[in-house]
Amino acid sequence: MQLKKLNRTKIIATVLAMIFLFVGGVFAFNQHVSHVLNQKDIVKIKTNNESTVLFYRDDCGSCRSIFYYTVMKRDLLRKNIQLVNTNQPKNRHYISEYKLTEVPTFIHLKYGKIAERYSGTNIEKIDQVIKGD
């Protein structure tokens, strides 16, 4: 009887610890994504390889809706995604350079050439652009 109580206590403690770690990890990731979203770094787009560029604005609701997914792809799945906040005045030259008409816009580059483009929040289409299909 005593052994069953001890095992039950260990199981409950383990489950609670796992929930605590998971919630803490989710909170930390959300903080990281929020920090990245609000950065207004001056970006020099790398064109010497294959990558995807996400053009966004930190005050755009549609951009926010796909930003967590995009950062997860970049950070956790090691996809080569460059993030360009067009609210940074020194990044605005990309608007005319890449003929941007709306955000979010994903552009897949292959050695400096535009291979594919998508503006919107459809996850399947975003995945196609990130993969370069």
Side-chain angles (χ1 to χ4, degrees), residues 74-132:
R74 186 189 77 171
D75 292 355
L76 301 179
L77 301 178
R78 304 282 186 232
K79 297 291 184 178
N80 191 3
I81 302 172
Q82 302 177 69
L83 306 171
V84 180
N85 186 344
T86 57
N87 272 345
Q88 162 54 261
K90 294 193 177 184
N91 289 339
R92 289 192 183 137
H93 65 94
Y94 291 124
I95 294 170
S96 60
E97 189 175 324
Y98 286 96
K99 297 175 179 61
L100 303 175
T101 58
E102 61 184 297
V103 290
T105 295
F106 291 82
I107 295 180
H108 189 82
L109 299 172
K110 289 188 180 181
Y111 303 98
K113 304 255 190 244
I114 297 175
E116 195 164 352
R117 166 192 299 260
Y118 171 69
S119 296
T121 59
N122 182 300
I123 296 298
E124 289 176 5
K125 292 180 180 179
I126 290 169
D127 276 342
Q128 286 176 347
V129 174
I130 291 172
K131 290 177 188 173

Side-chain angles (χ1 to χ4, degrees), residues 10-90:
K10 281 184 180 180
I11 290 170
I12 291 170
T14 301
V15 168
L16 289 174
M18 290 173 65
I19 290 170
F20 179 75
L21 288 172
F22 176 77
V23 169
V26 168
F27 178 77
F29 185 71
N30 284 340
Q31 291 295 103
H32 168 68
V33 170
S34 181
H35 171 74
V36 171
L37 174 70
N38 292 310
Q39 286 183 343
K40 288 193 170 87
D41 294 342
I42 299 167
V43 176
K44 169 78 172 110
I45 294 177
K46 298 175 191 124
T47 58
N48 59 340
N49 59 2
E50 189 170 338
S51 69
T52 301
V53 182
L54 166 57
F55 294 97
Y56 72 97
R57 285 190 343 256
D58 54 88
D59 60 353
C60 162
S62 295
C63 300
R64 286 182 178 277
S65 74
I66 53 87
F67 205 80
Y68 286 88
Y69 180 76
T70 305
V71 171
M72 180 199 67
K73 285 268 196 191
R74 186 189 77 171
D75 292 355
L76 301 179
L77 301 178
R78 304 282 186 232
K79 297 291 184 178
N80 191 3
I81 302 172
Q82 302 177 69
L83 306 171
V84 180
N85 186 344
T86 57
N87 272 345
Q88 162 54 261
K90 294 193 177 184

Side-chain angles (χ1 to χ4, degrees), residues 3-17:
L3 187 59
K4 285 184 180 181
K5 282 185 181 180
L6 184 60
N7 283 340
R8 212 177 301 160
T9 303
K10 281 184 180 180
I11 290 170
I12 291 170
T14 301
V15 168
L16 289 174

